[in-house]
Amino acid sequence: TARLGLKTALISRVGNEHMGRFILEQLAREGVCTDGVKTDPERLTALVILGIRDEEQFPLIFYRENCADMALCEDDIDEDFISRARAVVVTGTHLSHPRTEAAVIKALELAKKHGLRTALDIDYRPNLWGVAGHGDGESRFVESAKVTAKLLSTLHYFDLIVGTEEEFHIAGGSTNTVEALRTVRGNSKATLVCKRGALGAVAFEGAVPDSLDDGQSGEGFPIEVFNVLGAGDGFFSGLLKGWMEDAGWPTTLKYANACGAFAVSRHGCTPAYPSLTELEFFLKRGVKQKDLRNDPELEQIHWSTTRHTRNAGDWSSMRVFAFDHRLQLEEMDGYTLAKGGAFKELCMKAAVQVQDGRDGYGILCDNRIGRSALHAASGSGLWIGRPTEWPGSRPLTLEPELGTDFGGLNQWAKENVVKCLCFCHPDDDAATRADQEATVKRLF
């Protein structure tokens, strides 16, 4: 939602461990306010393991028993924080436990008190409600009168309710979608948005008609389904963009369908969601190839607008100490790998001393001689350039450790930056030029 330009905050809990800190750092990188995220000193951050079996099967294992986010309580809901917002969006999963339900209800009542909009993502996961086993994480529907009663008792709080047909089945207590929607309508005046998979989605502001096809709809996008995890969150973010801008339901549903398409056609969920620049480009240009993850224009815009390497700081000027030299050291009398490594550790210490915690300082360091210095640089705040070329090679040859398929890059720390020194000359023949350009492009 933040990527689409809305000011966004999260209310949740994370554990006091590496995963919890990573989540807080990544939220900050994406521009999400974390004032409402508490660090739980006793519980671990929740995890989900995703499997991709084929186009239809995506097995999930949820690690959410006594986890941090399921310990959310009423004390975590701050009235001043809620009053600063324009809308509160909640997930149905947090109605499954008395403690988290109390937190959700308090947030909703404060939202109504301060005139905020309220929205529900039904997000039904049977095993998180205790009506399916741990091995049924992929299951999206199991009938339960208890779950239906709980959902129906809360629907009056909402201005917008969103779910798949199966999720409306559990909310309305019927496997007939129209009947279920009408039961929900009897308990809430909210706009109902029903997601229909490849058929897109429909919105009902008033009475539910006899056919879903008679609801308001938006433009859909025919794409290849690669991984459905996170599709609902992507869809809801697009929906929020249109809803909060009062764009009208056809436009709002178009945004939602597009964001859902990005999610299901790419690997992973959070990394797949589009930026506003990317979404606007996609809506203007349309689908060129159904596997969006392999669309070069979209991918170029995606990575260039969503990869945030720094939270803050002034990087308009950079002071970089280059000690990635390999050939020069190896040719020196008395050189040994141990001596070369020790020298580069001294260089690293000098760089950190000069940096003194300030922005705009960096190093160039290799992994062949300077491995210990290179690894010590991670987390130091330094910009880290790491060479890829074989020293002095012409035409350009790359370090053997990268491998012919560049698989060696998987071992690089995420903060490492590719440095490539390529010797070329205006008088090079066309074949030499083309060979060197091809190597650089493959590396890119």
Side-chain angles (χ1 to χ4, degrees), residues 183-203:
T183 299
V184 170
R185 169 59 71 233
N187 287 263
S188 176
K189 297 178 181 178
T191 298
L192 310 179
V193 173
C194 183
K195 297 180 286 188
R196 306 176 69 193
L199 296 176
V202 286

Side-chain angles (χ1 to χ4, degrees), residues 111-183:
K112 289 299 184 183
K113 174 182 175 181
H114 291 281
L116 280 64
R117 297 183 181 188
T118 54
L120 170 68
D121 185 352
I122 300 173
D123 192 34
Y124 181 46
R125 300 283 184 178
N127 66 331
L128 298 183
W129 282 85
V131 296
H134 292 312
D136 294 320
E138 188 181 6
S139 171
R140 296 309 300 257
F141 182 74
V142 174
E143 288 186 89
S144 169
K146 178 182 175 182
V147 176
T148 298
K150 177 60 67 178
L151 290 172
L152 286 176
S153 72
T154 62
L155 297 184
H156 63 281
Y157 283 106
F158 299 103
D159 302 311
L160 173 65
I161 299 172
V162 180
T164 62
E165 290 191 55
E166 291 82 5
E167 287 168 342
F168 275 107
H169 292 169
I170 193 67
S174 171
T175 53
N176 180 298
T177 305
V178 171
E179 286 183 13
L181 286 165
R182 285 175 173 166
T183 299

